[in-house]
Amino acid sequence: MAQGRGSAAGRRNAAMLAMVLLCVLLHGELAESAVYTVGDRGGWGFNSGGWLRGKRFRAGDVLVFKYSPSAHNVVAVNAAGYKSCSAPRGAKVYKSGSDRVTLARGTNYFICSFPGHCQAGMKIAVTAA
């Protein structure tokens, strides 16, 4: 009878250990994420494309877009939307002026959808490993 109880306790301990390890792994992944302010002190603007040079991004890193919401926005688009400077239906539009976006693995595309802004260079394509 005691052995049966011991087995149940052993399974509970193993399950608890697995949960603790999962939490440690998840915390470690989050702790490694970097936070970048797009455009540095200048913020999200017409010359933000040059800001990417020399930076290496990883999935889970966070981009902070700082801008005047009465003058700009940030729209997460696909490759076609980036190339054509148009926001596809259902695209996520950020408009707070201090937006935080977590990068997904692969290329992440962002434009300003205010008339003429993307065409004038207010767009970035960020590749995260």
Side-chain angles (χ1 to χ4, degrees):
M1 186 103 102
Q3 191 168 355
R5 288 182 185 158
S7 295
R11 284 192 299 272
R12 279 194 301 272
N13 288 340
M16 181 63 79
L17 179 60
M19 290 297 292
V20 168
L21 287 173
L22 180 62
C23 289
V24 167
L25 289 173
L26 289 175
H27 178 68
E29 182 68 28
L30 293 174
E32 292 180 26
S33 298
V35 177
Y36 297 92
T37 299
V38 176
D40 294 322
R41 279 186 267 146
W44 171 235
F46 290 104
N47 296 316
S48 294
W51 168 82
L52 294 167
R53 276 191 288 276
K55 293 180 176 61
R56 293 181 185 255
F57 301 95
R58 295 179 53 178
D61 285 351
V62 175
L63 298 183
V64 179
F65 291 85
K66 294 200 175 274
Y67 57 92
S68 169
S70 63
H72 303 295
N73 65 9
V74 178
V75 184
V77 297
N78 57 22
Y82 180 81
K83 187 174 182 176
S84 67
C85 283
S86 61
R89 180 179 303 195
K92 175 67 176 160
V93 179
Y94 300 90
K95 48 190 172 186
S96 75
S98 185
D99 306 308
R100 297 174 63 88
V101 180
T102 302
L103 293 174
R105 182 171 307 232
T107 305
N108 299 256
Y109 300 96
F110 305 97
I111 66 171
C112 176
S113 68
F114 278 44
H117 290 200
C118 179
Q119 292 83 348
M122 198 166 175
K123 62 183 186 175
I124 59 171
V126 180
T127 302

